[in-house]
Amino acid sequence: MTAGDFDAGFLNRLGALYDAYVDEYRGADGKLPPMMQLKREHTAFVVANAKAIVAGERFDEHTARVAVAAALLHDTGRYEQLKRYNTFRDSDSVDHAVFSHDIVREKGWLAACEPSVRDAILNAVLWHNRRDLPPCDDAVTVAAAKVVRDADKLDIFRVLERQVATTDWRYDCQAFWNLPTTAKPNPKAVEAIMAGRPVDYQNIQSLADFVLIQVGWMASGLNYATTRKLVVERNHLPFRRDFLHQITDSPFVDQICDYAESRLS
Ligand SMILES: [Fe+2]
């Protein structure tokens, strides 16, 4: 089965194929295992964010459709990753973006699309978790990849806030990679954020670093003005400033949050 021509009904048909695929992971009771259900919900939020970004940026219909399709498919491999390896940690299993790309290609959902459309969607999926986007001179691919990366980050902001609200994070930091909750920010992470550089994963050594990285995205990791506007509307920065004050008295907190605030306005 393919999603067929890249016309107005394309996203609906692709959505139906995606849902039928996810249904294969449901138990006899019709439910997904809870961790998979969270990924399904994440995907729905990422799609909604992508739609908001392409509307806010007034993208043409073609580019918008490519971007939203890539948002729908970006985490396709998460279900099989959890089933096979019982973890979402890529370093202990597979690169889930490569896995997602390969599954979408093997399923042939995009087989009826023009090669340029198919490649744009597949590359946006493949590149969604890379530290940096590889060089690419196809404007539609670049736009779709940037939308997916922004839409994904917006939902990562939502997920952190839900985890803080629903877990006893001072004692059980499993949702935050078991990082020490009271350790001060790593100066190397702070330096990278203030310089507008991505933080290397080995420099994430405390819960504060984990949260500050997200503040760093707000300062320099978001591609579109619409994304930054949504961050402001959803109060994601004040939430992190308050939370960081609860976990550390480091002066870096206000320094980085002030910097992000200036970049968001
Ligand atoms: Fe992902």
Side-chain angles (χ1 to χ4, degrees):
M1 289 281 283
T2 78
D5 291 338
F6 196 63
D7 57 15
F10 174 80
L11 287 173
N12 284 339
R13 295 190 298 272
L14 189 61
L17 289 172
Y18 184 84
D19 285 339
Y21 170 73
V22 174
D23 283 348
E24 293 171 19
Y25 294 89
R26 294 184 188 279
D29 59 357
K31 288 186 178 165
L32 286 170
M35 298 293 281
M36 290 191 194
Q37 180 59 28
L38 290 177
K39 284 295 170 195
R40 184 65 192 89
E41 288 166 13
H42 163 68
T43 296
F45 277 107
V46 173
V47 168
N49 290 334
K51 286 180 178 171
I53 295 168
V54 299
E57 297 298 315
R58 299 175 187 275
F59 278 7
D60 64 85
E61 211 178 306
H62 178 93
T63 309
R65 204 173 289 157
V66 169
V68 174
L72 173 69
L73 302 178
H74 83 288
D75 268 353
T76 303
R78 285 300 201 184
Y79 310 94
E80 189 62 23
Q81 180 186 33
L82 191 75
K83 187 179 169 188
R84 266 193 222 180
Y85 304 101
N86 199 29
T87 183
F88 288 138
R89 216 176 242 246
D90 288 8
S91 56
D92 294 340
S93 55
V94 286
D95 179 327
H96 78 274
V98 175
F99 212 38
S100 299
H101 165 278
D102 291 352
I103 290 169
V104 172
R105 205 171 47 176
E106 280 160 24
K107 294 281 168 197
W109 294 335
L110 307 174
C113 298
E114 277 176 36
S116 64
V117 168
R118 188 172 63 229
D119 291 349
I121 297 171
L122 285 171
N123 282 328
V125 170
L126 183 63
W127 298 339
H128 87 266
N129 65 343
R130 297 224 178 150
R131 211 182 86 159
D132 302 297
L133 275 184
C136 173
D137 52 18
D138 181 67
V140 175
T141 304
V142 172
K146 286 182 172 177
V147 168
V148 173
R149 289 160 72 92
D150 274 19
D152 201 16
K153 286 188 176 79
L154 278 173
D155 198 54
I156 292 169
F157 297 150
R158 177 192 66 86
V159 167
L160 177 122
E161 291 169 20
R162 196 185 46 84
Q163 282 166 336
V164 169
T166 58
T167 61
D168 199 358
W169 56 268
R170 279 181 201 278
Y171 306 100
D172 175 15
C173 212
Q174 215 179 349
F176 308 106
W177 305 356
N178 286 319
L179 291 162
T181 40
T182 54
K184 289 193 181 307
N186 178 357
K188 283 186 181 161
V190 171
E191 190 192 324
I193 293 167
M194 291 304 285
R197 283 186 276 112
V199 178
D200 288 328
Y201 275 104
Q202 70 265 25
N203 286 328
I204 307 171
Q205 293 170 358
S206 64
L207 179 58
D209 295 336
F210 186 95
V211 179
L212 282 171
I213 280 175
Q214 296 193 355
V215 179
W217 292 346
M218 295 175 195
S220 52
L222 301 173
N223 297 300
Y224 294 108
T226 303
T227 315
R228 289 188 283 275
K229 193 169 148 250
L230 289 168
V231 166
V232 172
E233 281 173 17
R234 295 174 185 179
N235 289 316
H236 290 315
L237 180 57
F239 180 96
R240 277 148 190 79
R241 196 192 287 267
D242 287 351
F243 183 55
L244 283 159
H245 282 150
Q246 289 179 53
I247 59 182
T248 176
D249 58 5
S250 166
F252 289 133
V253 167
D254 282 326
Q255 198 182 329
I256 294 179
C257 289
D258 289 348
Y259 173 55
E261 201 172 327
S262 72
R263 300 292 300 257
L264 284 173
S265 53

